[in-house]
Amino acid sequence: MTTPELRKEFTEFFVKEYGHTSVKSSSLIPHNDKSLMFTNAGMVQFKEYFRNPAVAPFKQATSVQKCMRAGGKHNDLDNVGYTPRHHTFFEMLGNFSFGEYPKPKAIQMAWRFLTEVVKLPKDRLRVTVLASDQETYELWRDQEGVPEDRIIRSGAKDNFWTMGEGAGPCGPCTEIFWDTLDDDLGEDRWLEIWNLVFMQHYRNDQGELENLPIVCVDTGMGLERLAAVVQSKENNFETDVFAPLFDGLHKIMTEAGIESSQDINATPHKKIIVDHLRAMSFLIADGVIPSNVGRGYVLRRIIRRALRSGNQLGFTKPFMTELYPYLLESFNDGSYPDMVARQEPIKDVIRQEEEIFMNTLSKGLALLEPIFKQKDLTGAKQVPADIAFKLYDTFGFPLDLTVLIAEERGWTVDLAAVEALKQKQREQGRASWKTGSSLVLAKAQEWKEQGVFPTFSGYHRDMLTGQSSTVLAAQSTDDGTGDMILSIEPCPFYGLGGGQSPDTGSITLANGSEWRVVDVFSPYERGLAIRVQAVAEETALEEDLLCMHKGFKLTTFVDAKRREGVAAHHSATHLLNAALRKTLGKAIMQAGSLVEPERLRFDFTHGKPIDQNQIREIEDWINSTALQSVQPVIKEYPLQKAIDMGSIAVFSEKYGEVVRVVDFPKVSMELCGGTHVEDLSKIYPFKILSEGSVAAGTRRIEAAVGKAASQFLIEQDRMVSRLNQDLKSYATSAGNGLDLKVNKMKDHVSDLSRQYGRLLEKLVKSHATPVSQGTIDLGVSLNPAGKSGIPVKVHQLDSDIQDQEFYSKKANWLKEQDPEAMHVLVWDENIVVTLDQKQFPKIHAGKVLKALLEQVGGGKGGGQPQLARGKIMTTTTTTTTSGSSPVERLVNLVQSS
């Protein structure tokens, strides 16, 4: 069977024969699971159903889930290319029961699929069970007739399945193995192909096991492994899953003039490239973009590891995007339509990341290569920590890439020392941490354990002014400001993140004292804290502090004007997101945002600039929509239902079981915890202020709405009026007078520029008699060729020409006209040395310049072998040159020589 046939047969087997619901693959970003970086198993999207089967919309399901194992407990990144079966991205076949069927049926279905549908010989299969799980042992022996010598009892390490290091459902499992018949593999002769987990427990945050009310079933089988078994391949990379990618890679290598055998196992680098291409493409499709933190950094590591492998094969230019059509060919059964629909933005992100890293890869390798030859290091064969850190910090080398390069040479890297340098850098950056960081570090866990979880009450306008709240916890800051950190219930001040800037305002204590609210933040999940500053004189502070103890009442006042501006700009980001998807295509994804009272910033995935026509289209659509006075419908839903309804989620966010959906009917629907306008007319007018690139494959729009946009437009109009007045331009029947005037001026400037260029060229080529000429002895250090007396000519140039291009062109022209002499050009305190490298191959202009500067009284400068620039000191205490100009000093030097 081919891989597409295996996908189809597996799904149809459980749907048609056993009535399972076919559920499409969820995102690689587990929005509903804060314990995972990536979706690493088929059961992730069903995790809550295992804990509470009653809420499941179906009692049994099957899926083909895309998975990523490149972070956390399940991290196969370092093994890819070096083993037959490890991958970063892979697909997992699975069937699931939420209390619908027990162990016997689960085991029966798995055995039937492998032996009857896939037709694997029974005598080449064996199973393992948890040593204490007698029920499962007997089911294999009695129900399926598996001989006892092929039923292996194992400990909890092998046959008790957990989700990961965090909380989650878990339980005993039974695994089915395939006999490869290869004794040379030792224990690896038996290949695990299917794992059946019986979810009987839930591991809580404290690591304790709780019994689940109903036993559920979770099974998982790697599609790539199954394909290798069915297609009689010893290596997953030899299956039809990867064949198109290797064919494409070999073709691209041939076109690039790189010689290579067709043997994919000759080097790990080909396997790394094709595996990592799959991983990076699917991650980008699900909204991850390269960055230096979190998932974005994992993606960046994957891309850069692939590029380094390409470099090892002989690639010197970006090549990964040329492989993308072959990736689509490997999924030609329509399994993942998003990979086709989003191919351009995916390739844009990869291409830009390639260009960035290819520029630094050679520089980084150049820094590392001499280390392997350094005599004092060849004994220990360990890359110094400062070098590894510099590669990471300056050249963007993921640390594991440096380790990989070192290991290929038989060297090591002191990882602990590098981590210490990284930690030192983090500590130095703590000064820039957000307000309240001292609390985050020292008090957050204590408050959390005490159950300090205030309610945010500031969604409604009538709660912003004069609300009575109670102090839940208080803590003074440790930064010498006298500020206090409070947690109050309820809390109308917004500080829940999501790109929305926090509220400001004030509180009034029980004794009547007023304190300013200067920051609001979330020190831990579901936590909310405000930072307050005293308004009163210091003499009143002691009494105020007594009023901030737990249980004391205070009155809150949110800055309503600021909140109004923030809300308008937040609602506008939702419309901008919708407008971008409408104008540029649904492939674009939000990559970050910032919402402030006077402006908004919106980052999104897109590989090229937005042209002016598209900007006008976006602005026009948002403004016309705003004028329709659409009112939001804001409700809470279970996460999966919200996604199924079409709500847009941000990949970088983690969501709870229940989410808040902000719906502007027929306009935009997003998962959002922020504050919004009561009517879209509040965001009119909308004006884009700027658009540009901020990272590989990521664009940024800054915009203003409402009063802020009106003020911007008024200022623009005033500027236009001033320009009209200054330029004496007036509106005519032919159009705006200012446009006509500016276009004429641009044409005039272009004409003058051409004229200036021609005149400059004539000046460059005009005859120049040197003010001094002769020979100069540079000494052996500057003239290794040993030629005594180098011809030199000193030229004094007109200092009225304030154009650096002129002086460079003049230097090059003099060198071309008289290549047998070294030329020194001087104007004011400036100096240029130029020489012909063919005539003087051993002489470096930069070193000559420095020597001349020392001889004439000092100065600074440097440059390339053929041309160097510098400045001569205009005053000096040197007696031999006192009172002379820079030119006179050089003339005297040449004449004396």
Side-chain angles (χ1 to χ4, degrees), residues 815-834:
K815 179 180 65 178
E816 291 169 2
Q817 296 302 304
D818 187 3
E820 295 185 357
M822 180 171 64
H823 298 272
V824 181
L825 290 70
V826 190
W827 68 102
D828 294 335
E829 72 276 13
N830 301 288
I831 179 172
V832 171
V833 174
T834 184

Side-chain angles (χ1 to χ4, degrees), residues 240-252 255 274 277-278 319-332:
D240 65 328
V241 178
F242 296 95
L245 286 164
F246 284 116
D247 290 344
L249 180 59
H250 290 141
K251 181 178 179 181
I252 294 169
E255 292 172 350
V274 299
L277 175 70
R278 283 160 42 106
F319 66 96
M320 294 296 294
T321 54
E322 296 179 48
L323 276 174
Y324 197 85
Y326 302 100
L327 173 67
L328 296 182
E329 184 182 336
S330 68
F331 293 102
N332 59 9

Side-chain angles (χ1 to χ4, degrees), residues 164-177:
E165 296 176 357
C170 54
C173 65
T174 180
E175 298 171 318
I176 304 175
F177 287 78

